[in-house]
Amino acid sequence: MELSSQSSNSSDQPPPHRWAEFLGTAIALLTLTLPVFAIAHYSPSRAEGLQQQTSYSIPLPED
């Protein structure tokens, strides 16, 4: 009754799928690069030129 010897046999396991490795690599690359592009796109240095310079005057109450 040596059940542990059967579970350590690696010939019973199917080989990993190539598409799963490709998908995992693609997800990892997106996880690493997408935040960098989002930060670069919405960084304050680019947003300053897009903001409008508007000044408002606040009316003071009369006594």
Side-chain angles (χ1 to χ4, degrees), residues 9-62:
N9 190 358
S10 64
S11 64
D12 292 341
Q13 297 175 349
H17 297 286
R18 292 298 270 181
W19 62 268
E21 291 179 9
F22 176 75
L23 183 63
T25 303
I27 290 172
L29 287 174
L30 281 174
T31 302
L32 293 173
T33 57
L34 192 60
V36 174
F37 287 123
I39 291 169
H41 181 72
Y42 293 109
S43 67
S45 62
R46 278 191 77 186
E48 286 178 6
L50 299 176
Q51 293 178 349
Q52 295 179 354
Q53 298 285 334
T54 307
S55 61
Y56 296 102
S57 63
I58 301 173
L60 298 174
E62 296 181 16

